[in-house]
């Protein structure tokens, strides 16, 4: 018989790739399920004939998930069967994600959705997913509609790198683009039944977090992100931002020589800080870091000093642009990186959004609050993970179990990568509605 044609893969919320979901009460039970599936597909009546999507749908419909879980992801029959064979033989293989969900997560853990600030962008970061996921593409179009009163360029054209569109190294371009990426990725997670147990955002990522938490309408969130990114162009060229991997007390001790010109912009973990301030002072500070053998790098595409006294020049503008915003009670717990703790979202007024840009980002404190409140799974909703190192240091210092995972990665932003992210969450106990893959 002939093999199924490519259209078998054009299904569900993400097309072009199929997930086969398996589980068992024990590791042996999981291997046995893989072996039975392999035998059925290689020598039984379904050999060479069973459509890939039908196999996946039948696996999802088979029943409740056991603690020992695996997801095999493939673009064709050979890739999928190779993955199942590796699972049956208990050996690692590409596109096979395995894990054991904690017993306490039987009802389905709700992860924390983490929204980073600037610096996650890369050329072509959305192209493959725009083509593979109608849900993601629709969300991007909704963001473009909400942003359109404030922009003179096309969001999708910028994402696709259409000639003549503005570059991503402009703050008034990259911030609306990244906001749209984060919001659209969150919607795609939700399409697969993954609802956040909490939301937290870093710097401009708080705008996306507030929208996903239900505190800001898409129109209000789009207004803030677009107009404030345009306001930031007024302080471009005066400052820089530098991330430093070193214990916070050591970095602060070095900063004492630049008091008034440099300041701590963000605390991302016990040994990950971002410094912000004047260009000339930053050059001298960088030399001091180099002499002290401290790892550091410039925040990509940033030529201004957010979270520093430079922002005070924009205070009235920032208050005016957010004056019409009406925050609402959110349906998802919102953890503020302005206060470092859970916050009533009705307090996200114009003054809050000024403080969000002016004050030090207390991401470290917010993550500690989340862990203290029992959250154990964190999903970074972005084009690539940039906050994982800091979060890992925090949970290790606290001695608490936690699973930290990315959505997309640099140069890996298609449907297969997203399904792999879903699989990583699933094997860590997150409830996933896999039927969305076969809708």
């Amino acid at each position: 018989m002939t093999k199924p044609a490519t259209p078998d893969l054009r299904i569900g919320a993400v097309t072009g790739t199929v997930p086969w979901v398996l589980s068992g009460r024990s590791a042996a039970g999981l291997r046995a399920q893989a072996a039975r599936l392999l035998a059925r597909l290689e020598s039984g009546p379904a050999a060479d004939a069973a459509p890939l999507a039908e196999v996946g749908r039948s696996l999802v419909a088979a029943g409740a998930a056991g603690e020992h879980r695996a997801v095999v992801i493939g673009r064709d029959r050979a890739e999928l069967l190779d993955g199942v064979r590796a699972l049956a033989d208990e050996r690692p293989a590409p596109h096979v994600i395995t894990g054991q969900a904690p017993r306490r997560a039987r009802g389905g853990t709700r992860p924390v959705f983490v929204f980073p600030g600037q610096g996650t962008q890369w050329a072509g970061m959305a192209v493959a997913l725009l083509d593979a996921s109608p849900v993601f593409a629709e969300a991007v179009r909704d963001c473009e509609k909400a942003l359109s009163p404030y922009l003179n360029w096309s969001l999708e054209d910028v994402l696709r790198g259409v000639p003549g569109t503005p570059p991503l190294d402009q703050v008034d371009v990259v911030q609306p683009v990244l906001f749209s990426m984060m919001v659209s990725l969150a919607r795609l997670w939700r399409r697969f039944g993954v609802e956040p147990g909490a939301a937290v955002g870093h710097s401009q990522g708080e705008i996306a977090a507030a929208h996903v938490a239900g505190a800001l309408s898409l129109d209000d969130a789009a207004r803030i992100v677009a107009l404030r990114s345009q306001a930031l162009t007024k302080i471009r060229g005066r400052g820089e931002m530098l991330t430093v991997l070193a214990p916070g007390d050591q970095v602060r001790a070095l900063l004492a020589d630049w008091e008034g010109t440099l300041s701590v912009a963000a605390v991302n973990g016990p040994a990950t800080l971002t410094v912000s301030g004047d260009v000339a002072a930053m050059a001298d500070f960088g030399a001091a870091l180099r002499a002290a053998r401290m790892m550091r790098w410039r925040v990509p595409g940033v030529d201004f000093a957010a979270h520093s006294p430079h922002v005070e020049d924009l205070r009235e503008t920032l208050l005016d642009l957010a004056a019409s915003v009406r925050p609402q009670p959110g349906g998802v717990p919102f953890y503020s990186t302005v206060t470092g703790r859970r916050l009533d979202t009705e307090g996200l007024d114009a003054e809050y959004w000024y403080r969000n840009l002016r004050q030090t980002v207390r991401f470290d404190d917010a993550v500690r609050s989340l862990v203290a409140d029992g959250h154990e799974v964190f999903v970074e909703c972005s084009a690539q993970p940039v906050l994982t190192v800091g979060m890992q240091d925090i949970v290790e210092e606290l001695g608490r179990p936690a699973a930290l995972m990315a959505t997309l990665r640099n140069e890996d932003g298609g449907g297969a990568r997203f399904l792999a992210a879903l699989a990583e969450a699933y094997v860590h106990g997150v409830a996933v509605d896999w039927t969305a893959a076969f809708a």
Side-chain angles (χ1 to χ4, degrees):
M1 296 184 180
T2 58
K3 293 183 179 181
T6 301
D8 182 42
L9 298 177
R10 306 302 296 180
I11 54 170
V14 173
T15 64
T17 312
V18 167
W20 284 357
V21 183
L22 301 93
S23 71
R25 294 180 180 178
S26 64
L30 176 60
R31 291 195 304 273
Q33 188 192 17
R36 288 193 299 271
L37 176 62
L38 190 65
R40 178 165 67 91
L41 294 177
E42 286 190 323
S43 59
D48 293 326
L52 307 183
E54 288 302 322
V55 174
R57 187 180 287 109
S58 66
L59 289 169
V60 169
E67 291 176 33
H68 294 261
R69 302 178 177 185
V71 182
V72 180
I73 297 169
R75 294 163 296 181
D76 55 37
R77 190 178 192 84
E79 199 166 62
L80 287 160
L81 288 180
D82 285 346
V84 176
R85 188 175 297 108
L87 191 58
D89 295 341
E90 202 176 8
R91 57 180 172 81
H95 311 302
V96 179
I97 296 93
T98 62
Q100 184 175 353
R103 288 193 176 186
R104 60 185 175 277
R106 279 185 175 177
T109 296
R110 287 192 170 191
V112 178
F113 279 8
V114 181
F115 300 92
Q118 197 165 330
T120 64
Q121 66 273 12
W122 49 276
M125 59 188 168
V127 174
L129 206 51
L130 280 168
D131 294 337
S133 172
V135 175
F136 179 80
E138 180 183 23
V140 168
R141 288 193 295 271
D142 289 344
C143 289
E144 177 147 24
K145 181 179 178 181
L147 289 164
S148 61
Y150 317 107
L151 308 181
N152 59 5
W153 43 267
S154 163
L155 172 62
E156 185 166 345
D157 285 354
V158 168
L159 286 169
R160 292 186 179 277
V162 174
T165 54
L168 283 175
D169 60 0
Q170 295 179 196
V171 63
D172 53 334
V173 176
V174 71
Q175 291 198 358
V177 167
L178 290 179
F179 166 81
S180 303
M181 281 290 300
M182 292 186 286
V183 167
S184 300
L185 288 172
R187 189 183 297 183
L188 188 53
W189 278 98
R190 282 175 147 171
R191 176 63 182 85
F192 280 86
V194 180
E195 285 295 325
V200 64
H202 187 290
S203 190
Q204 75 134 2
E206 275 208 311
I207 306 171
H211 168 64
V212 171
L216 295 180
S217 68
L218 184 57
D219 287 341
D220 278 350
R223 175 183 174 82
I224 294 173
V225 74
L227 294 182
R228 109 169 179 170
S229 69
Q230 292 164 16
L232 282 168
T233 62
K234 298 176 183 177
I235 60 172
R236 286 188 65 189
R238 292 171 47 192
E240 291 182 351
M241 300 181 72
L242 192 74
T243 296
V244 185
L245 290 187
D249 56 349
Q250 295 181 24
V251 178
R252 288 185 174 90
L254 276 177
L255 276 174
D257 293 336
W258 287 275
E259 186 175 356
T261 57
L262 297 179
S263 54
V264 175
V267 181
N268 301 333
T272 310
L273 280 75
T274 300
V275 175
S276 183
D278 298 351
V279 172
M282 193 70 78
D284 295 338
F285 180 62
L289 291 172
R290 184 167 55 252
R293 298 182 180 275
M294 292 183 181
M295 185 177 294
R296 73 277 169 207
W297 60 85
R298 284 190 60 188
V299 178
V302 174
D303 59 356
F304 55 90
H307 311 289
S308 83
H310 290 202
V311 177
E312 293 172 10
D313 294 345
L314 306 176
R315 177 179 170 81
E316 294 307 316
T317 299
L318 294 170
L319 291 176
D320 286 346
L321 69 86
S324 64
V325 171
R326 296 291 178 264
Q328 304 294 322
V332 174
F334 177 85
Y335 283 72
S336 166
T337 50
V338 173
T339 67
R341 60 183 185 274
R342 184 172 175 176
L343 185 68
D344 180 351
T345 56
E346 290 186 271
L348 303 183
D349 56 12
E351 179 65 30
Y352 180 89
W353 293 113
Y354 168 71
R355 293 167 61 204
N356 163 274
L357 188 58
R358 169 62 185 91
Q359 293 182 193
T360 299
V361 179
R362 297 174 60 182
F363 185 75
D364 180 284
D365 289 338
V367 172
R368 290 174 189 274
S369 295
L370 283 156
V371 174
D373 288 346
H375 295 282
E376 297 181 344
V377 179
F378 295 77
V379 171
E380 194 164 334
C381 294
S382 64
Q384 62 173 317
V386 294
L387 297 171
T388 303
V389 171
M391 290 193 291
Q392 186 65 51
D393 289 345
I394 294 167
V395 297
E396 287 181 358
E397 185 176 279
L398 294 173
R400 299 285 290 273
L404 313 173
M405 55 202 66
T407 302
L408 306 183
R409 295 187 180 276
N410 195 358
E411 304 300 332
D412 188 8
R417 172 56 226 166
F418 180 79
L419 289 175
L422 272 175
E424 290 166 21
Y426 172 74
V427 301
H428 282 96
V430 173
V432 174
D433 178 11
W434 287 107
T435 61
F438 309 104

